[in-house]
Amino acid sequence: MKFIHTADWHLGKLVHGVYMTDDQREVLQQFVKLVEEEKPDAIVIAGDLYDRSVPPTDAVRLLDETLFKLNIDLKTPIVAISGNHDSAERLSFGSSWYQHSQFYLNGNIEASFRPVHINGVNFYLVPYAEPGTVRQLLGDDSIHSHQDAMKSLIGKMEETINPNEPNVLVGHAFVLGGQTSDSERTLSVGGSGCVTADLFAPFSYTALGHLHSPDAIKHDTVRYAGSLLKYSFSEAKQKKSVSIIEMNDNGSFDIREHSLAPKQDMREVEGYLEELLDPSFAEGQNHLDYLKITLLDDGSLIDPMGKLRQLYPNVLHLDRKIEQTDLKRKIAFQAVKEEKKSELDLFEQFYKEMTEAEFTEDKKSAMADIIQSVLKEEGLK
């Protein structure tokens, strides 16, 4: 039995003021083509189909078009759950009749205990739910964390699970030790939002969503698909993909990853302004990529963002290396300032922090004269 594991589409995502819908459409077209070629027995979508509970119209239209192509045109069964970004109620609208075309979408935690059977594999669909919701459902006052909730849910599944058949859990959770990025929403304060990988031991494969890197954890049977696209510059070095799982009757499986590549990548670039604007440097660049640029120049620059956007229209964030250095030294500089230092000593420290240049004897002499003159005018000398 072959299925494709994907998650975290985040349709309607806004990154640095730019809607990613066109980029998402491009990658989803690649995904549809992959399904045409692979002809899987099922598609697994492990939550966060939308980026917010009330998605923009274009995002709703894109999801509708994509799911129709996959499920109706290509006649591919789909099992999907709601994530922490989705509105489970909105996403689940129509789910009772979706099943007639083998589209199984679960946003209701109560339905998690009834597996979906496809070609000999049992899929347990566990949508994102707060511990309080699970506590109320199971009538168990001891449930206070996501770990407690997942442990109790899986414990109830084990009462009826068939260990002689392949069982797959589809969930949306933060596994302890997983690699995070800036674009993921925190599930809970402190460690109460985490679950441990050992909870999923009863399952042949656990298809997770939430963390955006496909390499978020290293585990034999518990895996993240990763997000559809790069949604923050903390993900710039990640390689986005979907997982193709070929499962045997005994629950063992082989896995392949298929890369997804949008026309416009998200990259970090570092250099001097003159260098970045040089045609010979720019020639090897995709000018339309989404960029975070860090400039190495000292001193003031006139409209660097405007100049860069003439050549790279999708510069989303601009940093100065000297500003980063200043930030790192801020505490140390504050400590120096609070010491009993002369005005000249304080200015020398300030000068070095601002310019990273040497405060020469000539500069020191000139500044000493200026300070003396000002102090005399103020009547302090």
Side-chain angles (χ1 to χ4, degrees), residues 288-309:
L288 297 179
D289 281 351
Y290 299 111
L291 300 178
K292 174 185 177 181
I293 293 181
T294 301
L295 294 177
L296 304 179
D297 303 78
D298 295 331
S300 61
L301 296 171
I302 299 174
D303 191 23
M305 180 67 91
K307 292 177 180 177
L308 287 165
R309 280 185 170 167

Side-chain angles (χ1 to χ4, degrees), residues 98-150:
Y98 293 161
Q99 297 181 18
H100 290 287
S101 63
Q102 289 191 295
F103 176 24
Y104 305 95
L105 176 58
N106 187 21
N108 184 356
I109 197 68
E110 294 181 25
S112 301
F113 312 114
R114 301 187 299 273
V116 174
H117 304 277
I118 301 176
N119 285 16
V121 175
N122 305 314
F123 291 91
Y124 287 82
L125 308 185
V126 185
Y128 174 81
E130 291 291 338
T133 302
V134 179
R135 180 172 61 245
Q136 183 176 10
L137 171 65
L138 300 181
D140 185 348
D141 292 336
S142 68
I143 296 175
H144 297 287
S145 66
H146 284 266
Q147 172 79 359
D148 298 336
M150 188 64 75

Side-chain angles (χ1 to χ4, degrees), residues 13 28 33 79 126 135 163 209 226-227 244 254 266:
K13 181 73 172 179
L28 285 173
K33 185 176 180 181
V79 292
V126 185
R135 180 172 61 245
S227 58
I244 303 170
D254 295 314
M266 183 172 285

Side-chain angles (χ1 to χ4, degrees), residues 66-78:
T66 303
L67 293 179
F68 188 90
K69 288 177 183 176
L70 294 171
N71 184 235
I72 303 301
D73 289 347
L74 298 181
K75 295 180 172 55
T76 309
I78 298 174

Side-chain angles (χ1 to χ4, degrees), residues 8 26 33 40-41 72 78 91 97 119 132 137-138 151 156 180 193 207 216 259 301 316 322 335 339 341 343 375 379:
D8 294 279
E26 163 68 25
K33 185 176 180 181
D41 298 292
I72 303 301
I78 298 174
L91 197 61
W97 73 74
N119 285 16
L137 171 65
L138 300 181
K151 183 177 181 180
K156 188 168 180 60
T180 62
S259 297
L301 296 171
L316 301 184
I322 192 168
E339 295 176 4
K341 297 281 186 178
E343 289 84 355
L375 291 176

Side-chain angles (χ1 to χ4, degrees), residues 95-225:
S95 58
S96 57
W97 73 74
Y98 293 161
Q99 297 181 18
H100 290 287
S101 63
Q102 289 191 295
F103 176 24
Y104 305 95
L105 176 58
N106 187 21
N108 184 356
I109 197 68
E110 294 181 25
S112 301
F113 312 114
R114 301 187 299 273
V116 174
H117 304 277
I118 301 176
N119 285 16
V121 175
N122 305 314
F123 291 91
Y124 287 82
L125 308 185
V126 185
Y128 174 81
E130 291 291 338
T133 302
V134 179
R135 180 172 61 245
Q136 183 176 10
L137 171 65
L138 300 181
D140 185 348
D141 292 336
S142 68
I143 296 175
H144 297 287
S145 66
H146 284 266
Q147 172 79 359
D148 298 336
M150 188 64 75
K151 183 177 181 180
S152 298
L153 289 171
I154 292 176
K156 188 168 180 60
M157 294 174 197
E158 286 187 282
E159 295 175 5
T160 57
I161 198 170
N162 186 347
N164 298 316
E165 294 179 347
N167 297 292
V168 173
L169 184 139
V170 182
H172 197 86
F174 179 13
V175 172
L176 187 65
Q179 175 187 338
T180 62
S181 71
D182 294 341
S183 58
E184 296 146 0
R185 186 181 297 168
T186 303
L187 298 183
S188 292
V189 176
S192 63
C194 300
V195 301
T196 55
D198 62 287
L199 293 181
F200 305 108
F203 300 93
S204 306
Y205 181 88
T206 298
L208 291 179
H210 181 58
L211 297 185
H212 287 186
S213 170
D215 300 315
I217 58 171
K218 301 294 183 183
H219 196 278
D220 290 339
T221 61
V222 180
R223 294 182 59 89
Y224 286 95

